[in-house]
Amino acid sequence: MAATTSARLPVTVVTGFLGAGKSTLLRRLLLDSGLRLAVLVNEFGEVGIDGDLIRSCGFCPEEELDGRVVELANGCLCCTVQDEFLPTMQMLLQRADQLDGIVVETSGLALPLPLVQAFGWPEIRTRTRVSGVVTVVDGEALAAGSVVGDRSALEAQRQADPSLDHLSDIEDLFRDQLDAADLVLLSRADRLSADQLQALTAQLQHQARPGVAVLPMQRGAVPAALLFGLERSEGVPPSPDDHHHHDHHDHHDHQDDGHQHHDHSHVAMRSAVVQLQGMIERDHLQAVLLEQIQTQGLLRLKGRAWLAGKPHPLQIQAVGPRLDCWFEAAAPASQRREQPGLELVALGLQVDGDALQQALTSVLTDRSTSSLAGPPG
């Protein structure tokens, strides 16, 4: 049985220029997350290379590879949505009951927004949800003053598809990647000094939308919960203890290409779980959640709310400023509850659980009981 509590299959879109670290991130996600993921790859000039790298990493049995790794070789994904993307998604959705999620790895030359909008098409919108758009930025290149590590390779990639007729300026493409991002990952963080990392983080946060976090990444090591927000069970949201130790690899004593790995590139996640009972008004709840994302810099929210008069709980998912709330056509028996209320888990670098609980308690129109599970952030 799939690990999701939702009938809508979560999709994470990963974008970034050639060499930014997308494939490294994806390989780590496939190998370490324990999730059954399908991968859709669209990389100009690299079709076959990225696919082979993913296929060879051993994330699934060989007999499943053809149904788990799909490469789109016929042009820019954002320009061939109807001809290429939709048939591919329909094919993957035929195996939805065997998957926990889908990752779309798209070239930085492909505009992310049209791809995200394609998930609103009637054929797939009731069966998928965009879990988040993740933009991978080459931190080492950016520290040297360039948004891409190898401009000549990027230009060769561009020339590999003569049908590309949208944004031609690399800096414009980079701004488009940041505009679409719900989370920005700064790769090769172990090759940056603490001062460089701080300066680049501030620069990218200024360029991205309000509420979008910028996190350091080395060798693709990022908590899977940030990218998908999935757990391996259908019970209540995970306890804070589930998220204290996200990187199970010791980087302190390793060296890579002569570069020492620094502690400042480790992502130390904090979490808090809030459980409330009482009447909840949906619009007020969503407004408070967005406000908490902004003020606390929350990276991800996951939960559900039971509203009066509704047979099924309101599903809640957020990554950065992307907040998605919806009712399933049918919910598992484990999610059924007689009394209205809320269960929510929040992840972030610094989570003030008391402030989150207080803000959410203000949403209750008929305050009953509330509790904060675990340490307050």
Side-chain angles (χ1 to χ4, degrees):
M1 181 173 62
T4 66
T5 62
S6 167
R8 297 168 65 187
L9 203 62
V11 179
T12 295
V13 178
V14 179
T15 188
F17 288 129
L18 178 68
K22 302 188 302 297
S23 294
T24 302
L25 168 67
L26 187 50
R27 283 165 60 92
R28 287 292 295 267
L29 177 65
L30 292 172
L31 289 171
D32 297 348
S33 69
L35 300 173
R36 298 176 296 175
L37 302 174
V39 183
L40 198 162
V41 180
N42 179 222
E43 190 74 87
F44 306 109
E46 293 295 305
V47 173
I49 296 178
D50 277 356
D52 286 345
L53 287 172
I54 294 167
R55 287 171 179 269
S56 64
C57 74
F59 77 99
C60 74
E62 187 173 352
E63 61 271 17
E64 296 182 17
L65 282 173
D66 288 341
R68 297 275 293 275
V69 181
V70 181
E71 297 175 70
L72 297 185
N74 297 323
C76 172
L77 187 59
C78 71
C79 300
T80 60
V81 166
Q82 186 167 359
D83 295 334
E84 297 290 330
F85 171 71
L86 291 177
T88 300
M89 285 300 303
Q90 290 170 329
M91 182 269 292
L92 290 176
L93 288 173
Q94 291 176 358
R95 304 179 58 250
D97 60 338
Q98 303 171 41
L99 298 173
D100 294 318
I102 298 173
V103 183
V104 181
E105 182 195 348
T106 182
S107 163
L109 297 177
L111 304 180
L113 184 57
L115 176 60
V116 173
Q117 292 173 334
F119 285 96
W121 282 52
E123 294 91 332
I124 58 176
R125 68 183 179 190
T126 59
R127 304 188 62 193
T128 64
R129 61 177 177 83
V130 177
S131 179
V133 177
V134 178
T135 296
V136 182
V137 178
D138 186 336
E140 190 175 30
L142 196 60
S146 175
V147 299
V148 60
D150 189 338
R151 286 183 178 253
S152 61
L154 184 67
E155 185 58 32
Q157 186 188 40
R158 185 202 306 269
Q159 296 301 321
D161 187 348
S163 68
L164 277 173
D165 58 1
H166 49 62
L167 296 176
S168 58
D169 182 79
I170 291 177
E171 278 67 28
D172 284 344
L173 287 167
F174 184 63
R175 282 190 289 270
D176 188 80
Q177 293 175 20
L178 294 178
D179 285 342
D182 302 305
L183 175 66
V184 176
L185 299 178
L186 191 62
S187 70
R188 300 181 175 88
D190 51 318
R191 304 186 181 193
L192 302 174
S193 69
D195 288 343
Q196 286 177 316
L197 185 60
Q198 182 178 9
L200 294 180
T201 298
Q203 173 187 333
L204 292 171
Q205 286 177 332
H206 177 73
Q207 293 176 279
R209 291 176 295 132
V212 173
V214 179
L215 298 182
M217 178 178 71
Q218 62 181 43
R219 294 186 290 181
V222 175
L226 284 183
L227 302 184
F228 276 96
L230 297 179
E231 301 300 326
R232 296 300 297 180
S233 68
E234 292 189 353
V236 297
S239 70
D241 291 339
D242 294 334
H243 300 283
H244 285 319
H245 306 288
H246 293 280
D247 189 350
H248 303 291
H249 300 265
D250 182 8
H251 299 300
H252 301 299
D253 298 325
H254 293 282
Q255 290 192 349
D256 182 14
D257 297 331
H259 296 271
Q260 181 70 35
H261 294 279
H262 302 295
D263 291 346
H264 63 253
S265 62
H266 175 73
V267 180
M269 300 299 302
R270 306 298 296 275
S271 63
V273 177
V274 175
Q275 298 177 329
L276 304 173
Q277 291 184 11
M279 302 287 285
I280 295 174
E281 196 275 319
R282 178 177 177 176
D283 289 343
H284 190 188
L285 171 63
Q286 293 181 183
V288 169
L289 290 176
L290 287 171
E291 185 270 337
Q292 285 294 298
I293 289 171
Q294 291 275 350
T295 59
Q296 293 209 43
L298 299 178
L299 300 176
R300 180 170 282 280
L301 296 174
K302 177 189 177 184
R304 46 189 173 263
W306 289 263
L307 308 184
K310 299 295 184 180
H312 304 296
L314 179 72
Q315 305 291 335
I316 302 169
Q317 291 275 356
V319 56
R322 180 185 296 275
L323 176 64
D324 192 11
C325 301
W326 74 96
F327 292 103
E328 295 290 2
S334 61
Q335 293 190 19
R336 295 172 189 165
R337 223 168 85 168
E338 295 296 327
Q339 299 299 321
L342 170 72
E343 292 178 346
L344 187 77
V345 63
L347 301 179
L349 299 180
Q350 297 292 331
V351 181
D352 186 338
D354 288 334
L356 180 63
Q357 181 188 10
Q358 183 176 1
L360 291 172
T361 300
S362 71
V363 172
L364 301 179
T365 59
D366 175 24
R367 299 182 185 182
S368 180
T369 61
S370 64
S371 66
L372 176 69

